[in-house]
Amino acid sequence: MADIVSQPWFWPAVIVSVGLPLALIGLTEFHNALARRGSRAAPIVLMVRNYLVPVAGILVLISQPGAWEGEGTWPRVIWTIFGLLVIVVTINAVNHLVFHRAEKGSWRDRFPTIFSDLIRFVFIILGIAAVFWWVWDADVAGVFAALGITSIVVGLALQNAVGSIVSGLFLVFEAPFELGDWIETGGMRGQIVEVNWRAVHLDSGNGIVVMPTAELAGGSFVNLSRSPDPYAAVLELSFGSDDPPGRVRELLVATARDIPLVAPDREPSAATLPGGMYAVAIPLRNPGDHAVVLDTFATRVWYAARRAELHLDGDMTDDWRTPARLQDALRQISPTLSLKPGEADGLAAHARLERYCAGESILKPGMVPTETRFILAGHVMLGIPTDDEGFVQVTKLGPDDAVGLTALSRSQTISRSVALGEVDVVVLPVAVLDEIVRMHPVVAREIVRESENRSRLARMALQAAGEYLPHGRSVLG
């Protein structure tokens, strides 16, 4: 037994026959654990297990005295393969430790990929040269000299192009923006969806714009997402010279505040400009909503100005709100209020017509209505806002249904009534409605019945959404 142990081949054979399987088993379990965690180090461990360790086992065997006669080529080939594998594994491991595990926002995270690729390329060339010098006794000095001369020639020939690329790379390394940011440059606005060493890809809402990083580095741009205040969409409008500026500004702010895409922690603002002009600034949740918000605002402010009897763009005409149309509207709702034809005509002095566009709030939570609106055409969604800025739909109201039933009880509503399309309504002040109820008590009973029905529907809708109706609160929208 002592003779066998003393043989030069014994311990290498033990290492290969026992150590190699144990190493492969250990690396397999390690790789599986990394793969389950989704670690990017798993491929590196797999390369060590499948290639580096088996080649190392072969080297252990052929490196023993007498295992290979003479200075053959195959041992050098195997040593070359082993050296190249060590280089690849080492570079990948360093790249993983330095860059892949970098903390977000650190210099390693902002380090341009092209720079790390160039560094890896240089180390690979140096490693290959070292392997050939050590294994094959190759003279690599001439190779490096030729490589240096070639680099100088290519650099001089491409100095302009390389300069643009390098300036773009330094812009990426500086990281004045990141994925998801909105930037504005050269009259174009877009969201950054991809950044690489050559170009920045912007989603403009009308296609992807590929902008060279060198172009951004050589010019100026505005990062709309890095401002301490939300990005504000600005629109200028004109009103009639007889319109009180205070009322106009209140109208503009109230209309802008009701748009869902407006930033919740900032208030819209309006300013008076010379010549009957006004500027409204609307802070946005997302700069990408700029066009949508301005379109929505411009649409809604037209309807709001007509309801407030203000003259947007100096327009003094209103062919829709006519006495004849108002009389027709009162006759339409007279059965709902148990009115006789003569009684309905007598309300014309106190009633008025209003029109809303899709998305406008006819009644908001927290309001104590002083008027009740009866739908003439269109539909209105009655719902309840939730604490997480959601909206639970209760029921859909149609022609002859009323919005603002809590006007009679002088109570605060917790519901929101939103126009689903263009909605025409006739408005009755609460004093007029009180007189109608006094003359026709059946109207009060119908209002109470409808209020209870809406409360029942609200409880069902809230329970289905996992919410609950506040105790003792009415939902009479």
Side-chain angles (χ1 to χ4, degrees), residues 451-472:
S451 299
E452 293 175 348
N453 179 56
R454 293 184 186 182
S455 297
R456 179 183 58 84
L457 293 175
R459 280 191 293 269
M460 294 172 56
L462 289 170
Q463 288 176 3
E467 302 283 344
Y468 296 95
L469 182 66
H471 181 69

Side-chain angles (χ1 to χ4, degrees), residues 13-333:
V14 170
I15 293 174
V16 173
S17 60
V18 178
L20 181 62
L22 291 177
L24 294 177
I25 293 173
L27 290 172
T28 300
E29 294 300 323
F30 186 39
H31 168 264
N32 292 338
L34 293 176
R36 285 193 297 268
R37 286 166 23 197
S39 173
R40 301 180 69 172
I44 302 175
V45 176
L46 188 65
M47 183 182 297
V48 173
R49 185 198 68 180
N50 292 346
Y51 303 105
L52 189 61
V53 172
V55 173
I58 296 175
L59 285 178
V60 171
L61 293 178
I62 68 173
S63 298
Q64 302 308 309
W68 196 278
E69 297 297 335
E71 297 293 330
T73 302
W74 282 110
R76 294 187 176 186
V77 171
I78 296 174
W79 272 108
T80 302
I81 295 174
F82 180 77
L84 296 178
L85 288 173
V86 170
I87 294 171
V88 173
V89 169
T90 302
I91 290 177
N92 279 278
V94 171
N95 184 63
H96 171 72
L97 294 174
V98 175
F99 297 110
H100 290 170
R101 299 182 60 184
E103 295 181 0
K104 186 174 179 59
S106 64
W107 70 269
R108 293 182 299 168
D109 180 58
R110 300 195 308 268
F111 198 78
T113 305
I114 185 62
F115 282 174
S116 61
D117 291 342
L118 289 174
I119 293 173
R120 285 200 299 270
F121 176 75
V122 171
F123 276 104
I124 288 174
I125 295 297
L126 293 176
I128 292 175
V131 168
F132 275 81
W133 169 75
W134 179 53
V135 176
W136 299 92
D137 295 327
D139 183 11
V140 296
V143 175
F144 284 107
L147 185 62
I149 295 174
T150 303
S151 300
I152 294 174
V153 174
V154 172
L156 291 175
L158 301 177
Q159 58 181 338
N160 292 331
V162 172
S164 299
I165 293 176
V166 170
S167 63
L169 289 175
F170 277 111
L171 175 69
V172 175
F173 184 66
E174 183 185 355
F177 46 68
E178 58 185 17
L179 291 180
D181 282 357
W182 284 83
I183 65 172
E184 187 173 34
T185 176
M188 195 231 7
R189 180 186 301 107
Q191 184 180 28
I192 299 176
V193 295
E194 183 180 347
V195 178
N196 54 47
W197 62 273
R198 192 190 69 83
V200 176
H201 296 227
L202 303 177
D203 185 357
S204 64
N206 192 27
I208 302 297
V209 177
V210 180
M211 181 170 293
T213 51
E215 183 176 336
L216 284 177
S220 61
F221 60 90
V222 179
N223 190 331
L224 304 176
S225 300
R226 296 280 180 97
S227 173
D229 295 320
Y231 172 76
V234 179
L235 183 65
E236 293 187 1
L237 307 99
S238 64
F239 281 81
S241 57
D242 294 334
D243 293 334
R247 288 188 57 203
V248 172
R249 291 196 300 268
E250 289 177 3
L251 174 78
L252 295 176
V253 171
T255 303
R257 189 187 295 121
D258 196 40
I259 299 177
L261 299 175
V262 173
D265 55 346
R266 291 292 189 277
E267 278 288 308
S269 61
T272 306
L273 305 178
M277 298 294 295
Y278 297 83
V280 57
I282 309 173
L284 307 182
R285 294 173 184 264
N286 191 322
D289 298 328
H290 178 274
V292 175
V293 168
L294 289 187
D295 177 70
T296 302
F297 176 80
T299 302
R300 293 187 182 185
V301 78
W302 185 91
Y303 287 87
R306 292 300 176 102
R307 293 193 301 269
E309 297 183 353
L310 297 174
H311 307 96
L312 180 64
D313 296 328
D315 187 1
M316 308 294 288
T317 62
D318 189 349
D319 297 332
W320 182 75
R321 293 195 302 177
T322 62
R325 193 183 297 275
L326 179 58
Q327 290 289 352
D328 291 340
L330 292 173
R331 294 190 185 102
Q332 177 180 333
I333 67 169

Side-chain angles (χ1 to χ4, degrees), residues 439-459:
M439 296 172 54
H440 304 282
V442 67
V443 176
R445 290 195 295 270
E446 288 299 320
I447 290 177
V448 171
R449 184 188 62 81
E450 177 62 18
S451 299
E452 293 175 348
N453 179 56
R454 293 184 186 182
S455 297
R456 179 183 58 84
L457 293 175
R459 280 191 293 269

Side-chain angles (χ1 to χ4, degrees), residues 260-463:
L261 299 175
V262 173
D265 55 346
R266 291 292 189 277
E267 278 288 308
S269 61
T272 306
L273 305 178
M277 298 294 295
Y278 297 83
V280 57
I282 309 173
L284 307 182
R285 294 173 184 264
N286 191 322
D289 298 328
H290 178 274
V292 175
V293 168
L294 289 187
D295 177 70
T296 302
F297 176 80
T299 302
R300 293 187 182 185
V301 78
W302 185 91
Y303 287 87
R306 292 300 176 102
R307 293 193 301 269
E309 297 183 353
L310 297 174
H311 307 96
L312 180 64
D313 296 328
D315 187 1
M316 308 294 288
T317 62
D318 189 349
D319 297 332
W320 182 75
R321 293 195 302 177
T322 62
R325 193 183 297 275
L326 179 58
Q327 290 289 352
D328 291 340
L330 292 173
R331 294 190 185 102
Q332 177 180 333
I333 67 169
S334 59
T336 303
L337 299 175
S338 301
L339 297 176
K340 298 176 182 179
E343 294 174 334
D345 294 340
L347 299 178
H350 308 284
R352 71 177 186 274
L353 294 172
E354 287 183 347
R355 178 178 283 179
Y356 294 84
C357 70
E360 278 195 284
S361 296
I362 301 176
L363 188 64
K364 301 176 183 178
M367 293 178 58
V368 179
T370 59
E371 299 168 322
T372 300
R373 291 166 172 81
F374 293 88
I375 301 174
L376 302 173
H379 292 87
V380 174
M381 176 57 65
L382 178 67
I384 302 176
T386 59
D387 294 336
D388 57 354
E389 299 186 6
F391 186 75
V392 178
Q393 299 180 359
V394 175
T395 186
K396 185 167 71 172
L397 307 178
D400 300 332
D401 287 332
V403 177
L405 295 181
T406 53
L408 275 177
S409 60
R410 276 68 171 177
S411 58
Q412 191 179 83
T413 179
I414 64 171
S415 62
R416 181 185 293 273
S417 301
V418 181
L420 296 179
E422 191 171 73
V423 176
D424 300 339
V425 301
V426 59
V427 184
L428 295 180
V430 65
V432 174
L433 199 59
D434 286 339
E435 183 63 22
I436 294 174
V437 169
R438 188 185 63 80
M439 296 172 54
H440 304 282
V442 67
V443 176
R445 290 195 295 270
E446 288 299 320
I447 290 177
V448 171
R449 184 188 62 81
E450 177 62 18
S451 299
E452 293 175 348
N453 179 56
R454 293 184 186 182
S455 297
R456 179 183 58 84
L457 293 175
R459 280 191 293 269
M460 294 172 56
L462 289 170
Q463 288 176 3

